[in-house]
Amino acid sequence: MDQFTGRPRLPKFAVPKSYDIRLKPDLVAHRFAGSVAVNLDIVAATSFIVLNAAELSVANDAVSFTVQGSSKVVSIFHLFPTTSCSSVSSVADENYLCLSVCLSMQVLKPSRVELFENDEILVLEFPEAIPIGLGVLFIRFEGILNDRMKGFYRSTYEHNGEKKTMAVTQFEPADARRCFPCWDEPACKATFKITLDVPSELVALSNMPVVDEKTDGNLKTVSYQESPIMSTYLVAVVVGLFDYVEDHTSSGVKVRVYCQVGKANQGKFALHVAVRTLELYEDYFETPYTLPKLDMIAIPDFAAGAMENYGLVTYRETDMLYDDQHSAAANKQRVATVVAHELAHQWFGNLVTMEWWTHLWLNEGFATWVSYLATDSLFPEWKIWSQFLHESTEGLRLDGLAESHPIEVEINHACEIDEIFDAISYRKGASVIRMLQSYLGAKCFQSSLASYIKRHACSNAKTEDLWAALEEGSGEPVNTLMTSWTKQKGYPVVSVKINDQKLEFNQSQFLSSGAQGEGHWIVPITLCFGSYDVRKNFLLQTKSETRDTGFYRVKYDELLAARLRYAVEKQLLSASDRFGVLDDSYALCMARQESLTSLINLMGSYREEVDYTVLSNLITISLKVGCIAADAVPELLDYFKQFFINLFQYSAERLGWDPKPGESHLDAMLRGEILTALAVFGHDLTLDEASKRFHAFLEDRNTPLFPPDIRKATYVAVMHRASKSNRVGYDSLLKIYRETDLSQEKTRILGSLASSRDPDLIHEALNFMLSSEVRSQDAVFGLAVNREGRDVAWRWLKENWEHLTKTYGSGFLITRFVSAVVSPFASFEKAKEIEEFFAAHATPSIARTLKQSLERVNINANWVQSIQKENKLADAVKELAHRKY
Ligand code: BES
Ligand code: ZN
């Protein structure tokens, strides 16, 4: 049997065609019982059936295989007693066998049934070869309704003051096997017929609409329509108490948003976005939504942001519920983009599925890109495509590491999959699609995509299949062009020089460490002449030759740089170019190819900036520069802070604290970010005003002085002044945390609790994150520690490592802890210390993240050293700190 272990993919002897699954969760005992009948096509002579299963108990006598020859089985019934869960296992196989015998079929019993937990496979050995052709595999099993937010798990909520449990599934990437034995690979598509036995008072949802419901005392048996063919990771079930709001698309799809009882109103915004985006995607992909209904539901304990289960999309509460009174503009935008992202998957991912996890980016990169398209069409005033630039920087930063990985990444074990739901798959993936779309043109891109969807509907596709469709549609060498972006990691920095009245282009791989990489790309470049109205596209194919947007950086020579500073100040550049000039300069500075002196001089020219995205990135960069300066030149730190405070004064005055009647969504978001930055830099007037408004709120929860967009900033400001001996602010925040039932408010508070400068209070806040009062998915928000909290956070991580690995196990949440705590350090000694700790404590599921985080620490350490050698820095920052505008 060992021949089947240690392999990344299942052997291909048996192909599942349809599943008939019955599940009976026990919400009190936290267990479930189930059975599955799988119609199989045995395609090669074998005496083994190998499929996935994990954390399930399967008794030897709970498995049988019915040979069907070439006739198709109509349906297999697995009979459950209708009483308690525990007695399910005692159901006699005879009921089922009897049916088989009546149809005079041959029933085979396995001679061995073995579950290999490490490989998550169930190996069934039969005494003789299984005949080629059709057959039905029947398995009864039991499992635990776990609390780890994957597989079939439990989540808790309150209803009328009473604690309740709901049952939920989360199967992506490879956890369907924790709920029922199956061929748990995206290419093994089949149809699913699901039946649930649940307490009769609960709402029970699955991918498809209900076809039958029978109540028997306290229990009901709910059966759902058979699904179209789909992958196992998209199967879903939710059982609990919920209210809903409902609407229909113009083509008649019934859309519902399920919420906590009493909160249906908070589902209305997501419902509106869902209906509109479904219509939009039907149009864009030229393909109808394939299921009769779409349900969306908020789950209190939820590891990811949301999950695109076919016809039953699950969300974190913060990413689906929107409250008119208490949600901030940023929350609203998040809900819209998350809904648009998950619904894009209904086509890109669910209808056409990646062939293997190597092509995960096709799902995630594409859904990310198209969610901007949809959001832009619904809310053009949000200028979401500009914001796209800021979000892509996360991809650029990660991909600037030697420890990055190509978009198409080899996967050899299920435990490696979680780590690639990262900024490369999402951000770089979306960016290269955007780059290609702008090169091919919107219309040509859309029609080629529609033909890709039609061609691969109900099937699987690889990256090459997408390129083939685009190549056919455009006549351009898409495959060659894009392979350079998806099969090699990293990206180029394109240098531009004026040489003899001509522009000269050079490319070389950009690495944040400053090292020279070997990579070489085909780079689409747009040249703009005069005032942007004359444009010319070309492909930079070789290392050196003569920008719209793309996944690359641009380095300008000194002469061009000085002209750019002037152009920024005089607002002669477009917002996306003002963004690019700044971000490229920051990245080059970190890579020690440009001085910090020159970066801060450039930053100084952005004082009167008004564009949201440019300012938002200016804030991000200021915060990072503030940290690195504190390490490199602590004696100049106050000047740096003063400079940043100056830099944001113009915007702070323009925006104020109170919403202006009719102001834009972007101004509302910007106000929060500017005030938060000023609080972090310790701007006294901001801290005073925050304190005043916080007290007004403590006195009166309905005070008009405390609109949602300034809350996070206020909380950060309150914590900035709090310490162990002056802890009123901290305690008041905890009080608000405990009293609110709005998850967004809770996360705002968690995200600010560790913003104190007192290590002891930070430690207390970090410990609070692990208390039973914080849902385990939310603890990472608390790691938003400032530089003063870096060492405490590291100590805390070590103290709690065992607990953390137990709670977050494999899963991707553990990687967030590692990168948040490790990456901010900036010394070689610390890198070594961290490496030593993890040499004894690392698990394979954090391997990649740990290497990346350590590389960041080394990059920071080198950066510190080079900053210390700059001799014009002190004068420059003093001048900027005192500059009167
Ligand atoms: N398919 C993912 C959910 C997921 C993530 C499952 C990681 C398993 C592991 C979903 O479509 C997704 O991408 N969700 C995002 C939100 C989105 C708007 C970027 C998330 O969870 O953050
Ligand atoms: Zn996604």
Side-chain angles (χ1 to χ4, degrees), residues 348-371:
F348 231 93
N350 301 8
L351 185 60
V352 181
T353 311
M354 70 227 146
E355 197 275 332
W356 179 241
W357 299 105
T358 295
H359 306 281
L360 173 71
W361 85 278
L362 273 185
N363 265 15
E364 298 305 348
F366 194 85
T368 300
W369 176 80
V370 96
S371 73

mmCIF file of all heavy atoms in Angstrom, residues 348-371:
data_model
loop_
_atom_site.group_PDB
_atom_site.id
_atom_site.type_symbol
_atom_site.label_atom_id
_atom_site.label_comp_id
_atom_site.label_asym_id
_atom_site.label_seq_id
_atom_site.Cartn_x
_atom_site.Cartn_y
_atom_site.Cartn_z
ATOM 1 N N PHE A 348 -15.021 32.215 -13.304
ATOM 2 C CA PHE A 348 -13.571 31.978 -13.339
ATOM 3 C C PHE A 348 -13.170 31.229 -12.088
ATOM 4 O O PHE A 348 -12.874 31.820 -11.067
ATOM 5 C CB PHE A 348 -12.839 33.322 -13.401
ATOM 6 C CG PHE A 348 -11.845 33.379 -14.499
ATOM 7 C CD1 PHE A 348 -12.191 33.898 -15.743
ATOM 8 C CD2 PHE A 348 -10.556 32.902 -14.321
ATOM 9 C CE1 PHE A 348 -11.273 33.944 -16.766
ATOM 10 C CE2 PHE A 348 -9.628 32.950 -15.337
ATOM 11 C CZ PHE A 348 -9.985 33.465 -16.570
ATOM 12 N N GLY A 349 -13.199 29.918 -12.134
ATOM 13 C CA GLY A 349 -12.895 29.126 -10.949
ATOM 14 C C GLY A 349 -13.919 28.014 -10.810
ATOM 15 O O GLY A 349 -13.563 26.851 -10.733
ATOM 16 N N ASN A 350 -15.207 28.400 -10.810
ATOM 17 C CA ASN A 350 -16.231 27.388 -10.570
ATOM 18 C C ASN A 350 -16.693 26.724 -11.862
ATOM 19 O O ASN A 350 -16.783 25.503 -11.937
ATOM 20 C CB ASN A 350 -17.429 28.007 -9.842
ATOM 21 C CG ASN A 350 -17.031 28.611 -8.501
ATOM 22 O OD1 ASN A 350 -15.845 28.704 -8.171
ATOM 23 N ND2 ASN A 350 -17.999 29.032 -7.707
ATOM 24 N N LEU A 351 -16.988 27.558 -12.866
ATOM 25 C CA LEU A 351 -17.412 27.007 -14.155
ATOM 26 C C LEU A 351 -16.180 26.485 -14.908
ATOM 27 O O LEU A 351 -16.165 25.368 -15.408
ATOM 28 C CB LEU A 351 -18.116 28.108 -14.959
ATOM 29 C CG LEU A 351 -18.748 27.708 -16.285
ATOM 30 C CD1 LEU A 351 -19.809 26.640 -16.088
ATOM 31 C CD2 LEU A 351 -19.376 28.942 -16.964
ATOM 32 N N VAL A 352 -15.160 27.298 -14.979
ATOM 33 C CA VAL A 352 -13.872 26.888 -15.549
ATOM 34 C C VAL A 352 -12.884 26.842 -14.374
ATOM 35 O O VAL A 352 -12.653 27.854 -13.716
ATOM 36 C CB VAL A 352 -13.354 27.898 -16.585
ATOM 37 C CG1 VAL A 352 -12.022 27.429 -17.167
ATOM 38 C CG2 VAL A 352 -14.379 28.105 -17.690
ATOM 39 N N THR A 353 -12.348 25.676 -14.111
ATOM 40 C CA THR A 353 -11.532 25.504 -12.904
ATOM 41 C C THR A 353 -10.081 25.226 -13.269
ATOM 42 O O THR A 353 -9.811 24.568 -14.280
ATOM 43 C CB THR A 353 -12.095 24.323 -12.082
ATOM 44 O OG1 THR A 353 -13.508 24.500 -11.958
ATOM 45 C CG2 THR A 353 -11.466 24.243 -10.703
ATOM 46 N N MET A 354 -9.186 25.711 -12.441
ATOM 47 C CA MET A 354 -7.764 25.421 -12.701
ATOM 48 C C MET A 354 -7.545 23.917 -12.667
ATOM 49 O O MET A 354 -8.176 23.208 -11.869
ATOM 50 C CB MET A 354 -6.874 26.110 -11.668
ATOM 51 C CG MET A 354 -6.975 25.506 -10.291
ATOM 52 S SD MET A 354 -7.179 26.742 -9.032
ATOM 53 C CE MET A 354 -8.220 25.862 -7.881
ATOM 54 N N GLU A 355 -6.645 23.446 -13.475
ATOM 55 C CA GLU A 355 -6.406 22.011 -13.581
ATOM 56 C C GLU A 355 -5.699 21.493 -12.329
ATOM 57 O O GLU A 355 -5.930 20.392 -11.870
ATOM 58 C CB GLU A 355 -5.578 21.768 -14.850
ATOM 59 C CG GLU A 355 -5.570 20.349 -15.358
ATOM 60 C CD GLU A 355 -4.515 19.504 -14.659
ATOM 61 O OE1 GLU A 355 -3.482 20.090 -14.222
ATOM 62 O OE2 GLU A 355 -4.702 18.286 -14.529
ATOM 63 N N TRP A 356 -4.815 22.325 -11.763
ATOM 64 C CA TRP A 356 -4.093 21.959 -10.554
ATOM 65 C C TRP A 356 -3.697 23.240 -9.846
ATOM 66 O O TRP A 356 -3.761 24.317 -10.416
ATOM 67 C CB TRP A 356 -2.878 21.076 -10.927
ATOM 68 C CG TRP A 356 -2.044 20.652 -9.730
ATOM 69 C CD1 TRP A 356 -0.720 20.959 -9.520
ATOM 70 C CD2 TRP A 356 -2.467 19.854 -8.612
ATOM 71 N NE1 TRP A 356 -0.312 20.408 -8.331
ATOM 72 C CE2 TRP A 356 -1.354 19.719 -7.750
ATOM 73 C CE3 TRP A 356 -3.689 19.262 -8.240
ATOM 74 C CZ2 TRP A 356 -1.418 19.011 -6.557
ATOM 75 C CZ3 TRP A 356 -3.747 18.558 -7.043
ATOM 76 C CH2 TRP A 356 -2.607 18.430 -6.220
ATOM 77 N N TRP A 357 -3.280 23.148 -8.599
ATOM 78 C CA TRP A 357 -3.018 24.337 -7.781
ATOM 79 C C TRP A 357 -1.882 25.192 -8.335
ATOM 80 O O TRP A 357 -1.764 26.371 -7.975
ATOM 81 C CB TRP A 357 -2.770 23.933 -6.331
ATOM 82 C CG TRP A 357 -3.976 23.257 -5.770
ATOM 83 C CD1 TRP A 357 -4.137 21.930 -5.541
ATOM 84 C CD2 TRP A 357 -5.227 23.878 -5.440
ATOM 85 N NE1 TRP A 357 -5.406 21.674 -5.077
ATOM 86 C CE2 TRP A 357 -6.101 22.847 -5.004
ATOM 87 C CE3 TRP A 357 -5.704 25.183 -5.471
ATOM 88 C CZ2 TRP A 357 -7.411 23.092 -4.597
ATOM 89 C CZ3 TRP A 357 -7.000 25.430 -5.054
ATOM 90 C CH2 TRP A 357 -7.833 24.398 -4.632
ATOM 91 N N THR A 358 -1.054 24.629 -9.182
ATOM 92 C CA THR A 358 -0.039 25.415 -9.886
ATOM 93 C C THR A 358 -0.680 26.594 -10.616
ATOM 94 O O THR A 358 -0.064 27.640 -10.794
ATOM 95 C CB THR A 358 0.665 24.489 -10.907
ATOM 96 O OG1 THR A 358 1.347 23.491 -10.166
ATOM 97 C CG2 THR A 358 1.616 25.234 -11.802
ATOM 98 N N HIS A 359 -1.934 26.395 -11.020
ATOM 99 C CA HIS A 359 -2.620 27.453 -11.771
ATOM 100 C C HIS A 359 -3.599 28.221 -10.886
ATOM 101 O O HIS A 359 -4.535 28.841 -11.394
ATOM 102 C CB HIS A 359 -3.327 26.848 -12.987
ATOM 103 C CG HIS A 359 -2.404 26.044 -13.836
ATOM 104 N ND1 HIS A 359 -1.525 26.628 -14.732
ATOM 105 C CD2 HIS A 359 -2.150 24.715 -13.878
ATOM 106 C CE1 HIS A 359 -0.790 25.681 -15.300
ATOM 107 N NE2 HIS A 359 -1.150 24.510 -14.808
ATOM 108 N N LEU A 360 -3.390 28.171 -9.577
ATOM 109 C CA LEU A 360 -4.252 28.893 -8.635
ATOM 110 C C LEU A 360 -4.410 30.356 -9.048
ATOM 111 O O LEU A 360 -5.469 30.957 -8.908
ATOM 112 C CB LEU A 360 -3.662 28.842 -7.216
ATOM 113 C CG LEU A 360 -4.409 29.710 -6.204
ATOM 114 C CD1 LEU A 360 -5.763 29.112 -5.873
ATOM 115 C CD2 LEU A 360 -3.604 29.907 -4.927
ATOM 116 N N TRP A 361 -3.343 30.919 -9.563
ATOM 117 C CA TRP A 361 -3.380 32.346 -9.912
ATOM 118 C C TRP A 361 -4.467 32.636 -10.941
ATOM 119 O O TRP A 361 -5.008 33.723 -10.974
ATOM 120 C CB TRP A 361 -2.011 32.791 -10.422
ATOM 121 C CG TRP A 361 -1.841 32.530 -11.877
ATOM 122 C CD1 TRP A 361 -1.493 31.365 -12.472
ATOM 123 C CD2 TRP A 361 -2.055 33.477 -12.932
ATOM 124 N NE1 TRP A 361 -1.472 31.515 -13.823
ATOM 125 C CE2 TRP A 361 -1.806 32.805 -14.134
ATOM 126 C CE3 TRP A 361 -2.419 34.829 -12.957
ATOM 127 C CZ2 TRP A 361 -1.921 33.438 -15.364
ATOM 128 C CZ3 TRP A 361 -2.531 35.452 -14.192
ATOM 129 C CH2 TRP A 361 -2.277 34.759 -15.383
ATOM 130 N N LEU A 362 -4.781 31.628 -11.795
ATOM 131 C CA LEU A 362 -5.846 31.842 -12.784
ATOM 132 C C LEU A 362 -7.129 32.187 -12.049
ATOM 133 O O LEU A 362 -7.882 33.059 -12.453
ATOM 134 C CB LEU A 362 -6.095 30.559 -13.576
ATOM 135 C CG LEU A 362 -5.272 30.274 -14.815
ATOM 136 C CD1 LEU A 362 -5.791 29.005 -15.471
ATOM 137 C CD2 LEU A 362 -5.348 31.423 -15.808
ATOM 138 N N ASN A 363 -7.396 31.479 -10.968
ATOM 139 C CA ASN A 363 -8.561 31.776 -10.139
ATOM 140 C C ASN A 363 -8.408 33.128 -9.461
ATOM 141 O O ASN A 363 -9.232 34.015 -9.606
ATOM 142 C CB ASN A 363 -8.656 30.746 -8.999
ATOM 143 C CG ASN A 363 -9.582 29.596 -9.326
ATOM 144 O OD1 ASN A 363 -9.928 29.411 -10.482
ATOM 145 N ND2 ASN A 363 -9.955 28.841 -8.323
ATOM 146 N N GLU A 364 -7.354 33.248 -8.675
ATOM 147 C CA GLU A 364 -7.269 34.383 -7.762
ATOM 148 C C GLU A 364 -6.832 35.678 -8.436
ATOM 149 O O GLU A 364 -7.359 36.746 -8.156
ATOM 150 C CB GLU A 364 -6.371 34.047 -6.567
ATOM 151 C CG GLU A 364 -6.891 32.874 -5.716
ATOM 152 C CD GLU A 364 -8.321 33.062 -5.225
ATOM 153 O OE1 GLU A 364 -8.857 34.175 -5.334
ATOM 154 O OE2 GLU A 364 -8.913 32.069 -4.759
ATOM 155 N N GLY A 365 -5.848 35.570 -9.308
ATOM 156 C CA GLY A 365 -5.392 36.764 -10.018
ATOM 157 C C GLY A 365 -6.510 37.300 -10.880
ATOM 158 O O GLY A 365 -6.790 38.501 -10.909
ATOM 159 N N PHE A 366 -7.189 36.385 -11.546
ATOM 160 C CA PHE A 366 -8.229 36.847 -12.443
ATOM 161 C C PHE A 366 -9.409 37.438 -11.686
ATOM 162 O O PHE A 366 -9.927 38.497 -12.027
ATOM 163 C CB PHE A 366 -8.684 35.710 -13.371
ATOM 164 C CG PHE A 366 -9.491 36.282 -14.474
ATOM 165 C CD1 PHE A 366 -8.874 36.789 -15.601
ATOM 166 C CD2 PHE A 366 -10.855 36.424 -14.332
ATOM 167 C CE1 PHE A 366 -9.619 37.413 -16.585
ATOM 168 C CE2 PHE A 366 -11.604 37.044 -15.308
ATOM 169 C CZ PHE A 366 -10.993 37.533 -16.437
ATOM 170 N N ALA A 367 -9.869 36.721 -10.627
ATOM 171 C CA ALA A 367 -11.016 37.224 -9.855
ATOM 172 C C ALA A 367 -10.676 38.589 -9.261
ATOM 173 O O ALA A 367 -11.523 39.481 -9.191
ATOM 174 C CB ALA A 367 -11.388 36.246 -8.752
ATOM 175 N N THR A 368 -9.422 38.768 -8.848
ATOM 176 C CA THR A 368 -9.023 40.055 -8.291
ATOM 177 C C THR A 368 -9.131 41.147 -9.360
ATOM 178 O O THR A 368 -9.740 42.194 -9.160
ATOM 179 C CB THR A 368 -7.591 39.968 -7.738
ATOM 180 O OG1 THR A 368 -7.559 38.968 -6.720
ATOM 181 C CG2 THR A 368 -7.149 41.295 -7.138
ATOM 182 N N TRP A 369 -8.585 40.848 -10.535
ATOM 183 C CA TRP A 369 -8.624 41.841 -11.613
ATOM 184 C C TRP A 369 -10.056 42.203 -11.978
ATOM 185 O O TRP A 369 -10.437 43.358 -12.057
ATOM 186 C CB TRP A 369 -7.863 41.311 -12.847
ATOM 187 C CG TRP A 369 -7.943 42.243 -14.001
ATOM 188 C CD1 TRP A 369 -7.201 43.369 -14.200
ATOM 189 C CD2 TRP A 369 -8.866 42.155 -15.105
ATOM 190 N NE1 TRP A 369 -7.592 43.992 -15.360
ATOM 191 C CE2 TRP A 369 -8.612 43.260 -15.933
ATOM 192 C CE3 TRP A 369 -9.864 41.250 -15.470
ATOM 193 C CZ2 TRP A 369 -9.321 43.487 -17.116
ATOM 194 C CZ3 TRP A 369 -10.581 41.476 -16.635
ATOM 195 C CH2 TRP A 369 -10.307 42.577 -17.446
ATOM 196 N N VAL A 370 -10.882 41.168 -12.186
ATOM 197 C CA VAL A 370 -12.228 41.427 -12.691
ATOM 198 C C VAL A 370 -13.100 42.079 -11.612
ATOM 199 O O VAL A 370 -14.033 42.812 -11.921
ATOM 200 C CB VAL A 370 -12.840 40.128 -13.274
ATOM 201 C CG1 VAL A 370 -13.704 39.405 -12.285
ATOM 202 C CG2 VAL A 370 -13.632 40.403 -14.530
ATOM 203 N N SER A 371 -12.760 41.867 -10.328
ATOM 204 C CA SER A 371 -13.555 42.510 -9.286
ATOM 205 C C SER A 371 -13.376 44.039 -9.357
ATOM 206 O O SER A 371 -14.290 44.785 -9.022
ATOM 207 C CB SER A 371 -13.171 41.993 -7.900
ATOM 208 O OG SER A 371 -11.918 42.490 -7.500
#
